[in-house]
Amino acid sequence: MEHRKLKAFPAGFLWGAASAAYQVEGAWDADGKGPSVWDVFAKLPGKTFQGSNGDVAVDHYHRFAEDVALMAEMGLKAYRFSVSWPRIFPQGRGEPNEAGLAFYEHLIDTLIAHHIEPVLTLYHWDMPQALQDEYGGWEDRRIIADFEHYCVTLFQRFAGKVKYWVSLNEQNYNLTNAYQLGTHPPAVEDRKRFFAANHIAFLANASVIATFRRHVPNGLIGPSFAYSPAYPGSSAPADMLAFENAEELTNHWWLDTYCFGRYPQAALTWLTETGEAPDILPGDLEILSQGLPDFVGVNYYQTLTYTGNALDGVTLQRINTTGQKGTTPASGIPGLYKTMANPFVETSNWDWAIDPTGLRIALRRLASRYALPVMITENGLGEFDQLVAGDRVHDDYRIAYLKAHVEACQQAISDGVQLLGYCAWSFTDILSWLNGYQKRYGFVYVDRDERDTRDLRRIRKDSFHWYKKVIASNGEIL
Ligand code: BG6
């Protein structure tokens, strides 16, 4: 199987790169924007790496034309970005803020003028603080109508211009941090509240997808899922069971609900026994099954390897946010599973497994189980980058990472996966939510650090020139 001739990337393959509003825009209170939960949370002492926040970020709000010009120079075919909900509805609902809509309209028009397909994410974690204050955001079903009103405003405005839409970005990762680990706003650590909020987010996601069909009949929509495919620590039956438990509770819990409209059975049974299952009201399952996606968006960074976990074993633990290698503790659910290091793969300085084969496996699992097209909405390597003389950044480690993962995409395509596109994370350097500005992902270096915004100069890294060739050759030259 490994030695056959690989299929070429299809014509029209979306070679892309991605970002998120809070991580790049800055201009946190410009032109009528309201505060998001991140605008407030990041300013609380001790919440983010060295107190970094997105007030200025990389100032994409004011420099988007320069950024899009760099995308055009690179030959990018798609740019995935998110809309900041409180830029459109400063209070979360009501009348839209025209200045906010106009910003995204300019961005979209500039992309289209450069033949770059806009891929619009509706929600990348920056909930209007007003809705968090009023009813607790995702913990109250009123969010469903407010989210829908916000999304319909964007559908109506951009239906003719934007074909690809992402509903919720990494609901699994964001809400796990927000309601189990206490590391994203509103910083709750309560598993029952987590599953309840997560259920409401599913309902919001499905409702918006159902509504999308009426407003954007020719568009395609799907959520972006943070997919870390599970591996068993060994072929010991206990490890296999731990792996099954983890795959069901950390992956199928979301993917099945998005794509089948129902929760996976063993996990639901377990949570019902512990009293942590969400309240599934009459009509909820209909809502879920009426809002199935057109594609699965996958944010792939790493695989996770699992072994058994005693009843008094480790609980869910916070991840490495310093870049000090080897500081990530084992993490899991007592009685079900815990993570362990995979001796067969290298890791980044943030202890994330570097596993391109895992991407091929991820794509195949998704395509086989859900029979849907897939779009890679994020994939990349967060590392310390060094700006050296002559305004150069020699990020050969990033090129190696991306090259291996693009090869894995081609293998998955050859395996029969319908892959719509590949959006590297990220285009420019961004603010990493909990890791500050030192964990860099971009093709374009931005001259700033945690404390000093310096001149925010854009500098093409070596990976910029590499990806340009990949795109120009439609993936033939890697
Ligand atoms: C995903 C997010 O979790 O991965 C991005 O959608 C994020 O917003 C990216 O930046 C990388 O994670 P991190 O924690 O290294 O920034």
Side-chain angles (χ1 to χ4, degrees), residues 22 34 66 82 92 148 157 171 195 223 320 336 367 415 427 455:
Y22 182 72
E66 181 187 351
S82 79
E148 190 160 326
R157 181 82 169 222
Q171 176 189 332
F195 282 107
N320 174 348
L336 294 183
D415 294 335
F427 184 68
D455 60 4

Side-chain angles (χ1 to χ4, degrees), residues 402-420:
L402 295 172
K403 177 178 184 306
H405 285 76
V406 171
E407 276 168 0
C409 291
Q410 194 177 1
Q411 287 159 346
I413 289 169
S414 305
D415 294 335
V417 174
Q418 194 190 338
L419 189 60
L420 300 171

Side-chain angles (χ1 to χ4, degrees), residues 23 124 169-170 301 352 378 425 432-433 435 439 441:
Q23 297 180 275
H124 202 128
N169 177 73
E170 294 194 0
Y301 291 91
W352 292 20
E378 289 180 29
W425 184 265
S432 172
W433 307 87
N435 307 278
K439 192 178 187 189
Y441 281 93

Side-chain angles (χ1 to χ4, degrees), residues 133-203:
D133 292 341
E134 186 181 334
Y135 53 65
W138 292 116
E139 290 194 86
D140 191 293
R141 286 180 181 236
R142 277 176 281 180
I143 193 80
I144 300 169
D146 286 339
F147 184 58
E148 190 160 326
H149 177 57
Y150 154 68
C151 292
V152 166
T153 305
L154 299 182
F155 295 158
Q156 288 175 337
R157 181 82 169 222
F158 301 128
K161 298 181 176 181
V162 178
K163 179 175 176 193
Y164 296 97
W165 301 69
V166 172
S167 47
L168 300 183
N169 177 73
E170 294 194 0
Q171 176 189 332
N172 59 326
Y173 185 73
N174 176 220
L175 295 188
T176 299
N177 277 275
Y179 289 99
Q180 289 202 74
L181 290 166
T183 42
H184 286 186
V188 172
E189 294 178 54
D190 182 324
R191 207 156 63 191
K192 187 167 174 58
R193 283 173 66 183
F194 162 73
F195 282 107
N198 189 59
H199 182 66
I200 293 172
F202 276 136
L203 295 172

Side-chain angles (χ1 to χ4, degrees), residues 195-239:
F195 282 107
N198 189 59
H199 182 66
I200 293 172
F202 276 136
L203 295 172
N205 182 74
S207 302
V208 152
I209 290 180
T211 306
F212 177 82
R213 309 266 176 249
R214 291 199 295 280
H215 292 277
V216 197
N218 298 322
L220 298 172
I221 190 166
S224 277
F225 180 68
Y227 190 20
S228 297
Y231 284 179
S234 78
S235 54
D239 282 352

Side-chain angles (χ1 to χ4, degrees), residues 57-58 301 348 350 380-387 393 395 397-398 425-432 435-450 452-454 456-459 461 463:
V58 298
Y301 291 91
S348 73
W350 276 259
L381 179 68
E383 266 306 331
F384 301 106
D385 286 342
Q386 204 81 49
L387 181 61
V393 178
D395 57 342
Y397 39 89
R398 180 168 295 107
W425 184 265
S426 49
F427 184 68
T428 61
D429 286 338
I430 45 98
L431 167 64
S432 172
N435 307 278
Y437 293 93
Q438 67 164 3
K439 192 178 187 189
R440 295 177 182 270
Y441 281 93
F443 292 115
V444 175
Y445 186 93
V446 179
D447 187 25
R448 69 154 298 162
D449 65 15
E450 278 67 28
D452 186 352
T453 55
R454 297 206 275 266
L456 296 161
R457 190 162 89 255
R458 273 59 175 152
I459 297 152
K461 301 182 191 175
S463 57

